[in-house]
């Protein structure tokens, strides 16, 4: 745990020091769970968004993208169920006065059992060496089975209590498990209460004419209310999808863990409209497709797992999360929900307008079912960034901090460095940048010894450095240095663009899907 905390602290410090993520309005001491992206963070975030957008709208002829407003008619949130049901169960500790999500306290308790299982696996792997069979060990070791059984039973009970709105049982569970306040160690808890997560605001100039609005807590509703607009104007046939990226707002009770849980964040959501009865097929399809999309980033297969929901949201008939191993353990990265016809059906009722599709094959009209994929851009940023940040010990015993971002996502793809600031080398370096800048992001750096400049680019995640030296003036070649292998090779200037552009382009990721 202490090591996890340490790693996470390094991630946060590195993000700030190198211009990726700053606390919001820092000169006023920041705003809780709100963050700003700096010059490198904005670029990394744009690249992640582009990878998602292109994978959805460019790679699929039947998925189109929209950009709906953040403000929506307030009845939207009545129809979607958010006014009545978008609540989190909160609990206060009477001694520390700290507020927690009751379900998260229980889930963290189960998370500790998972850590114990991991420890057992590590111990056994050491004991059995090469002959260790992890799958068999997990299926048969009595201690592991006990931890798993206990964890499953706790989560099942929690799911049931939340589904039945039995908040007294959630409190009873916390007391039975003897869960203490993480800050103070006190077990003196209040009752569990529901808390609505939407932020309210007002539209209109005078108090009398003002209309109460909400900042959208998910982007999905902007897609639902535009379903017929897009279907008709795009002459879309089922099955088809509408994709959108944009800001969402939630007044989270517990907002810690940096950009993992924010009050203002960005979602990338896709609603896939399908004929009723086909939802099981599309649910499996999108689970597999989305996992593949994540795996193409190369962050390691073992860092992902599915978590099928016991407790379903008010709109879903099946739901699964893709979880990622963050520095603080496995947590939700993306949700895949089979949303039935709940949203369109409900908007039909509240708006008094038909939201139906005429199916020429079945010769009838119906409200389509919906399969949703929803991933948090900031969470994905954290997954990519924390996985990429590494401390390496080099052959000569020295160490380097390197941010091994997937090359197509890196803020700067290539840094061009004149070996010295004279003899015409800066001019050649600038000319190389002029040639490359049409195809990739570049940086110029002439300060300090070249070794230090390499380290600086390593820490920023720049996958390639090009060094211009005196030999360049004679034979038009440069040194091309790779961030990950640190290997250097001599390459002609004329070849550079060809050598680099494919490796650093988003299409290289798309091609591997
Ligand atoms: N439209 C469905 C929906 O909003 P969700 O599971 O509540 O479902 C989807 O959210 C994704 O949005 C999550 O998997 C997560 O990546 C991201 N997300 C949700 N709340 C967040 C928060 N407070 N901060 C950052 N990301 C968040």
């Amino acid at each position: 745990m202490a090591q996890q905390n340490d790693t996470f602290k390094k991630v946060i410090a590195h993000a700030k020091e190198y211009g990726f993520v700053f606390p919001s309005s820092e000169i006023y001491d920041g705003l809780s769970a709100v963050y700003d992206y700096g010059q490198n963070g904005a670029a990394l975030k744009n690249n992640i968004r582009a990878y998602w957008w292109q994978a959805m709208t460019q790679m699929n002829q039947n998925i189109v993208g929209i950009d709906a407003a953040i403000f929506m008619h307030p009845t939207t949130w009545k129809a979607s169920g958010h006014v009545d049901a978008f609540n989190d169960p909160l609990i206060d500790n009477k001694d520390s006065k700290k507020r927690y999500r009751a379900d998260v306290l229980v889930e963290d308790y189960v998370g500790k059992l998972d850590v114990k299982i991991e420890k057992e696996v590590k111990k056994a792997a050491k004991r059995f060496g090469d002959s260790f069979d992890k799958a068999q060990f997990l299926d048969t070791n009595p201690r592991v089975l006990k931890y798993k059984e206990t964890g499953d039973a706790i989560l099942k009970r929690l799911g049931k209590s939340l589904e039945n709105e039995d908040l007294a049982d959630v409190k009873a569970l916390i007391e039975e498990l003897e869960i203490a306040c993480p800050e103070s160690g006190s077990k003196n808890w209040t009752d569990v209460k529901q808390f609505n997560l939407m932020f309210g605001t007002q539209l209109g100039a005078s108090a009398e004419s003002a209309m109460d609005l909400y900042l959208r807590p998910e982007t999905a509703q902007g897609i639902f209310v535009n379903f017929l607009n897009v279907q008709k104007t795009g002459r879309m046939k089922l099955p088809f999808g509408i994709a959108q990226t944009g800001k969402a707002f939630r007044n989270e009770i517990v907002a810690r863990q940096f950009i993992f849980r924010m009050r203002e964040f960005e979602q990338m959501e896709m609603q896939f409209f399908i004929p009723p009865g086909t939802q099981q097929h599309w649910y499996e399809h999108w689970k597999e497709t989305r996992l593949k999309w994540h795996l193409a980033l190369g962050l390691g297969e073992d860092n992902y797992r599915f978590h099928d929901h016991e407790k379903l949201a008010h709109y879903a008939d099946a739901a699964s999360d893709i979880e990622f191993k963050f520095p603080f353990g496995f947590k939700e990265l993306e949700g895949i929900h089979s949303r039935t016809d709940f949203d369109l059906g409900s908007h039909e009722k509240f708006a008094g307008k038909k939201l139906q599709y005429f199916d020429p094959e079945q010769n009838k009209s119906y409200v389509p079912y919906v399969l949703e994929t929803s991933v948090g851009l900031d969470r994905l940023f954290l997954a990519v960034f924390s996985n990429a940040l590494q401390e390496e010990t080099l052959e000569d015993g020295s160490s380097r901090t390197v941010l091994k971002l997937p090359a197509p996502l890196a803020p700067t793809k290539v840094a061009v460095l004149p070996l010295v600031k004279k003899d015409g080398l800066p001019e050649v370096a600038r000319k190389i940048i002029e040639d490359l800048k049409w195809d990739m992001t570049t940086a110029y750096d002439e300060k300090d010894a070249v070794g230090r400049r390499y380290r600086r680019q390593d820490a920023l995640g720049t996958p390639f450095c090009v060094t211009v030296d005196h030999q360049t003036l004679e034979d038009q070649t440069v040194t091309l240095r790779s961030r990950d292998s640190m290997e250097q090779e001599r390459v002609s200037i004329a070849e550079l663009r060809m050598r680099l552009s494919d490796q650093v382009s988003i299409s290289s990721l798309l091609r591997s899907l």
Side-chain angles (χ1 to χ4, degrees), residues 204-219:
S206 67
E208 304 82 61
S209 64
M211 184 187 212
D212 287 329
L213 293 187
Y214 294 105
L215 296 185
R216 66 181 179 196
E218 62 169 12
T219 59

Side-chain angles (χ1 to χ4, degrees), residues 407-408 413 439 500-511:
K413 312 300 188 210
D439 298 286
L500 299 181
S501 49
D502 191 50
Q503 293 185 66
V504 301
S505 73
I506 299 274
S507 41
S508 70
L509 284 176
L510 298 175
R511 247 180 243 118

Side-chain angles (χ1 to χ4, degrees), residues 241-298:
I242 304 178
Q244 175 170 226
T245 71
K247 289 275 177 136
F249 304 83
R250 295 184 188 176
N251 197 0
E252 298 284 359
I253 300 168
V254 188
R256 359 175 202 115
Q257 296 171 319
F258 192 37
I259 55 172
F260 179 81
R261 196 177 303 286
M262 302 158 88
R263 297 202 162 103
E264 173 181 339
F265 58 101
E266 194 164 337
Q267 288 186 314
M268 306 193 288
E269 301 202 294
M270 194 278 296
Q271 313 294 323
F272 200 67
F273 298 92
I274 55 175
T278 62
Q279 65 266 37
Q280 186 62 32
H281 163 77
W282 288 112
Y283 177 61
E284 297 303 334
H285 168 88
W286 280 109
K287 273 176 82 173
E288 192 186 316
T289 306
R290 292 302 302 148
L291 182 62
K292 233 170 153 184
W293 182 91
H294 286 285
L295 291 177
L297 288 172

